[in-house]
RNA sequence: UCCUCAGUAGCUCAAUGGUAGAGCAUUCGGCUGUUAACCGAAGGGUUGUAGGUUCGAGUCCUACCUGAGGAGCCA
C-alpha cells in the first residue's frame, strides 16, 4: 500500500533530488522523439505527476505498455520541471507495469466525454478529472459534517437501515422480504407476513428521524448520517432511489435554534471544503460551472435570508401582480412549487433562503403546531439552482396535540406507540432537520445531475455496478 | 408516471428522401521538453430495435427500447 506520506500529493513537497517511487494510473501520455511524458495520478489530488522518460532510460518493451489507463510504479528522482504546467516532475529510472490497458479498447480518451457516457462506465469514470474531484470533495464534505457535529458534542446515531415502521409517510418504500416470491404464503387472502423473516412486513428506511428523536431525548444533541431509500418513480436530475442523508436532532431546541444551526452548519461545511479542496473546486469553476467558487465564498460569508411562508406567498403574489406568470397558482395554503422556490432564491434574494411556518395542512403530522393553529414550525432551506437542500421542523412534543394530529390525518395510532410514549415520559421541546448529502454535493461542485455526485447511482430501471 | 427532445465510427457530432462524413481516439511513420502536444497516412459503420410508406429511407410514419431535459413526488 501507499504509506502515510507517499501519495503523489506528498511527492510534490519532497526536496528536489530525492529518490521516490510513485504508484498510480496513467491519465494521458505524450511522446516526442527523445522523450516521453506520462501523467500519473493516484487519486490523492487533482494534479497529475508528470513522469519524464528520456530516450533509452526504460526498456522499449516496458514503455509499450505504459499507455493511458495502465497502472504503474515509477521510481526515479524528483527534479525541477522546465515545463510550464508543474513545478516538479519525476525523472524515471525504472517502471513496473502492474496492469496494462489496451489502448485500442480503453474507453477514456484525452478529449472530454459526456456525463451520460461516463455514467455507463462508472467503473472507470473514477479515473477522470471530473470524478476524481467529485469524490475527493464528497469525502471532505462527509468529514466536515462529522467534524461540525462532533465539535459541538453531538452523538452520531446509527439509525437502522431496515425499518419496521410501516407508516413513516415519506413516499413509497422498498420492501425487504425473504418470502418466496414465486409462492407467497397467504392467510385469508392477505400475504402472511408472520412467516416473513422479521415476522412482519419490513422496508428499507426512508428516514432516520423518528429514531433520532429517541436518541435526542436521551443524549440531547444527536445526528444520523447514513443511506436512505425511496422507491418513488422519480426521473429527475435531483432524485435517487438510494441516497445519503444527515439528520441532526436537538433536545431543548425551537425552530429559531434549528434555523440558526442549519445556517451555521451549511456555512461551516462550505468553508471546510473551500479550505481543503481548492484545486478540485477551481476545476469545477473552470469546466463545470463558472459561478461555483463565487457562490460558495459568498454563502460562507453572508447571512441567509429568512422569510415566513406567509411573507413568501406575499412576495409571489406581488410578482404575479407585476406581470409574472406562474404555472401553478399562488395563494395562502398552496405548497410552494419549484418555480416559486427558484424565484425566491435565484431572483429575489440570490442566496439561500429559509422559509418557515408553513400551513399545517401541507406539512407532516409531527411538526409543532403554532399558536395561530393554522401553521406549523416547519422550515425549508432553499438554495439557488437546486431548490430545497434542507427540510426540518420543531417537533410536536405535546402528547395530546400529537395524538389528535395523528388521528386527524387518519394515521393508526398503534403504529406510533413508542413515538407517543416519548411524549408521555420526559418529553422536551426538540427540533431537527435533514440534509441530502448529494444535494449538497451538487451545490458544492456545480454538477448538474445528482447521478454524478454519488459513486454508483440507483435510479428507476438502473442499478448497474 | 406525464410532457418534450435525442439515438449515425470507440467518443463528440455532420449529412435537401438519391454513393454515410469530420474532429478526437486507435494503428503506422515523422518531430530533442510536451501540457486536451504537433505534422503525415491508414483502418474503423447492420445509422437503437421491429414493422410500414416509397423506384429509393440515416432522413417520413407506427410501436417498442435506451438516454437526457421539464413537471409531479421529495432530500
Amino acid at each position: 500500500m501507499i504509506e502515510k506520506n507517499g501519495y503523489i500529493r506528498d511527492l510534490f513537497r519532497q526536496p528536489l533530488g530525492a529518490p521516490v517511487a510513485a504508484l498510480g494510473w496513467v491519465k494521458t501520455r505524450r511522446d516526442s522523439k527523445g522523450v516521453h511524458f506520462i501523467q500519473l495520478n493516484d487519486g490523492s489530488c487533482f494534479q497529475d505527476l508528470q513522469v519524464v522518460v528520456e530516450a533509452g532510460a526504460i526498456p522499449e518493451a516496458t514503455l509499450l505498455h505504459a499507455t493511458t489507463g495502465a497502472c504503474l510504479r515509477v521510481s526515479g528522482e524528483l527534479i525541477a520541471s522546465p515545463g510550464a504546467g508543474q513545478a516538479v516532475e519525476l525523472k524515471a529510472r525504472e517502471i513496473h507495469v502492474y496492469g496494462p490497458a489496451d489502448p485500442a479498447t480503453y474507453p477514456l480518451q484525452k478529449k472530454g466525454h459526456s456525463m451520460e457516457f461516463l455514467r455507463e462506465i462508472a467503473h472507470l469514470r473514477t479515473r477522470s478529472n471530473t470524478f476524481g474531484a467529485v469524490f475527493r470533495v464528497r469525502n471532505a464534505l462527509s468529514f466536515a459534517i462529522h467534524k461540525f457535529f462532533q465539535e459541538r458534542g453531538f452523538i452520531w446515531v446509527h439509525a437502522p437501515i431496515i425499518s419496521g415502521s410501516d407508516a413513516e409517510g415519506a413516499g413509497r418504500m422498498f420492501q425487504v422480504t425473504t418470502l418466496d416470491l414465486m409462492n407467497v404464503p397467504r392467510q385469508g387472502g392477505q400475504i402472511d407476513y408472520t412467516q416473513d423473516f422479521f415476522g412482519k412486513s419490513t422496508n428499507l428506511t426512508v428516514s432516520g428521524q423518528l429514531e433520532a428523536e429517541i436518541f435526542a431525548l436521551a443524549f440531547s444533541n444527536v445526528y444520523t448520517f447514513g443511506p436512505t431509500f425511496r422507491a418513488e418513480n422519480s426521473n429527475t436530475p435531483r432524485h435517487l432511489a438510494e441516497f445519503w442523508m444527515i439528520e441532526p436532532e436537538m433536545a431543548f431546541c425551537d425552530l429559531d435554534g434549528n434555523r440558526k444551526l442549519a445556517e451555521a452548519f451549511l456555512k461551516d461545511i462550505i468553508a471546510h471544503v473551500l479550505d481543503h479542496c481548492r484545486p478540485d473546486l477551481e476545476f469545477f469553476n473552470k469546466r463545470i460551472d463558472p459561478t461555483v467558487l463565487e457562490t460558495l465564498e459568498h454563502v460562507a460569508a453572508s447571512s441567509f435570508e429568512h422569510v415566513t411562508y406567509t411573507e413568501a406567498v406575499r412576495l409571489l403574489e406581488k410578482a404575479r401582480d407585476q406581470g409574472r406568470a406562474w404555472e401553478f397558482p399562488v395563494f395562502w395554503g398552496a405548497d410552494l412549487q419549484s418555480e416559486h422556490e427558484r424565484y425566491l432564491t435565484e431572483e429575489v434574494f440570490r442566496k439561500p433562503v429559509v422559509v418557515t411556518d408553513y400551513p399545517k395542512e401541507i406539512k407532516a403530522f409531527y411538526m409543532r403546531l403554532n399558536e395561530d393553529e393554522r401553521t406549523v414550525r416547519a422550515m425549508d432551506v432553499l438554495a439557488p439552482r437546486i431548490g430545497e437542500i434542507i427540510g426540518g421542523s420543531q417537533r410536536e412534543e405535546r402528547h395530546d396535540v400529537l395524538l389528535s394530529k395523528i388521528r386527524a390525518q387518519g394515521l393508526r395510532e398503534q403504529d406510533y406507540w413508542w413515538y407517543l410514549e416519548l411524549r408521555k415520559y420526559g418529553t422536551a421541546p426538540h427540533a431537527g432537520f435533514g440534509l441530502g448529502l448529494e444535494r449538497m454535493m451538487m451545490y458544492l461542485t456545480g454538477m448538474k445531475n445528482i447521478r454524478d455526485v454519488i459513486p454508483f447511482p440507483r435510479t428507476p430501471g438502473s442499478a448497474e455496478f
Side-chain angles (χ1 to χ4, degrees):
Chain A
M1 66 176 280
I2 297 177
E3 298 296 332
K4 195 177 171 193
N5 291 307
Y7 296 98
I8 283 174
R9 70 162 178 235
D10 304 310
L11 297 186
F12 290 125
R13 295 196 294 267
Q14 299 271 327
L16 294 181
V20 296
L23 300 98
W25 291 264
V26 178
K27 190 167 281 172
T28 178
R29 166 180 165 166
R30 296 173 294 276
D31 300 293
S32 125
K33 174 97 176 168
V35 62
H36 311 271
F37 299 94
I38 295 171
Q39 301 284 130
L40 201 66
N41 193 288
D42 64 358
S44 63
C45 58
F46 185 82
Q47 174 144 32
D48 304 318
L49 176 68
Q50 175 161 282
V51 173
V52 186
V53 181
E54 291 180 349
I58 302 293
E60 277 301 319
T62 304
L63 221 44
L64 203 63
H65 291 112
T67 54
T68 303
C71 182
L72 309 181
R73 183 185 63 231
V74 181
S75 35
E77 153 187 25
L78 274 186
I79 58 171
S81 176
Q86 58 286 316
V88 298
E89 60 192 23
L90 176 58
K91 186 176 167 184
R93 282 197 208 294
E94 196 187 343
I95 292 181
H96 173 69
V97 180
Y98 285 109
D102 182 0
T105 56
Y106 187 66
L108 285 176
Q109 52 187 60
K110 279 171 198 172
K111 274 212 156 185
H113 295 92
S114 66
M115 293 300 158
E116 292 80 10
F117 172 68
L118 290 170
R119 216 171 286 148
E120 289 168 9
I121 52 165
H123 59 309
L124 296 172
R125 69 174 184 173
T126 42
R127 302 191 197 161
S128 66
N129 284 330
T130 302
F131 288 93
V134 163
F135 295 120
R136 276 186 299 275
V137 168
R138 189 177 168 112
N139 172 64
L141 171 62
S142 302
F143 185 79
I145 288 165
H146 281 299
K147 186 162 166 279
F148 177 87
F149 288 124
Q150 293 293 326
E151 281 173 350
R152 283 164 179 73
F154 282 58
I155 295 285
W156 180 18
V157 182
H158 299 141
I161 304 291
I162 295 173
S163 167
S165 315
D166 44 2
E168 295 189 40
R172 284 183 58 85
M173 294 186 275
F174 288 103
Q175 189 171 357
V176 176
T177 183
T178 54
L179 293 177
D180 179 3
L181 296 181
M182 297 298 283
N183 186 20
V184 177
R186 290 173 189 275
Q187 184 74 262
Q190 299 287 308
I191 296 169
D192 183 12
Y193 284 111
T194 62
Q195 294 187 44
D196 204 348
F197 188 88
F198 297 104
K200 63 185 291 193
S201 168
T202 52
N203 301 286
L204 294 179
T205 183
V206 293
S207 163
Q209 181 200 315
L210 302 190
E211 288 86 353
E213 286 188 48
I214 295 176
F215 271 67
L217 294 175
F219 296 90
S220 310
N221 289 329
V222 305
Y223 68 107
T224 70
F225 189 160
T228 333
F229 308 87
R230 303 275 167 92
E232 291 292 345
N233 191 8
S234 297
N235 292 287
T236 84
R238 303 177 303 280
H239 290 87
L240 291 165
E242 176 184 291
F243 62 99
W244 287 61
M245 199 152 65
I246 296 96
E247 295 172 297
E249 191 71 34
M250 297 76 68
F252 321 112
C253 183
D254 61 11
L255 188 62
D256 252 12
N258 202 20
R259 177 169 58 81
K260 284 170 184 156
L261 185 80
E263 178 173 344
F265 172 62
L266 286 176
K267 286 181 182 173
D268 188 273
I269 57 183
I270 288 171
H272 179 95
V273 172
L274 277 169
D275 238 31
H276 289 81
C277 300
R278 198 76 200 187
D280 294 319
L281 294 179
E282 279 168 3
F283 170 80
F284 291 124
N285 204 64
K286 191 171 149 198
R287 288 290 174 88
I288 305 293
D289 177 350
T291 67
V292 156
L293 269 179
E294 188 193 343
T295 304
L296 293 179
E297 275 159 359
H298 178 244
V299 168
S302 65
S303 57
F304 290 12
E305 209 57 48
H306 171 213
V307 294
T308 63
Y309 167 87
T310 303
E311 288 162 350
V313 168
R314 218 171 278 144
L315 285 167
L316 295 165
E317 285 173 338
K318 194 173 137 201
R320 181 192 59 204
D321 295 343
Q322 290 172 352
R324 180 85 179 203
W326 298 121
E327 191 182 336
F328 293 87
V330 173
F331 57 93
W332 200 98
D335 206 355
L336 300 183
Q337 302 291 322
S338 289
E339 57 171 343
H340 307 141
E341 296 181 348
R342 294 180 70 142
Y343 171 75
L344 292 172
T345 189
E346 290 173 12
E347 295 184 49
V348 179
F349 299 114
R350 295 178 173 277
K351 58 179 172 180
V353 181
V354 191
V355 182
T356 61
D357 301 287
Y358 284 77
K360 65 180 178 189
E361 287 79 13
I362 59 175
K363 288 294 182 183
F365 73 92
Y366 52 73
M367 297 185 179
R368 195 182 199 277
L369 192 62
N370 273 316
E371 284 68 36
D372 63 11
E373 305 218 326
R374 301 174 70 209
T375 59
V376 290
R377 293 192 185 164
M379 69 170 191
D380 284 354
V381 181
L382 312 177
R385 195 181 69 242
I386 53 176
E388 184 183 336
I389 192 167
I390 277 180
S393 67
Q394 183 175 339
R395 320 305 188 192
E396 184 54 75
E397 86 282 14
R398 297 164 295 185
H399 184 273
D400 52 334
V401 180
L402 183 64
L403 184 58
S404 64
K405 287 186 77 177
I406 285 174
R407 286 174 177 163
Q409 299 209 4
L411 301 169
R412 302 191 309 172
E413 63 183 86
Q414 62 266 35
D415 289 338
Y416 298 93
W417 67 271
W418 52 265
Y419 196 67
L420 282 160
E421 278 204 359
L422 287 176
R423 275 73 179 168
K424 206 163 138 193
Y425 305 118
T427 192
H430 61 290
F433 60 83
L435 169 81
L437 183 71
E438 288 77 18
R439 294 269 172 93
M440 191 63 206
M441 279 294 295
M442 294 173 76
Y443 194 64
L444 287 170
T445 60
M447 295 293 284
K448 283 163 193 61
N449 192 313
I450 199 165
R451 296 156 201 159
D452 299 323
V453 296
I454 189 166
F456 306 103
R458 272 80 178 97
T459 51
S462 172
E464 193 67 48
F465 302 100

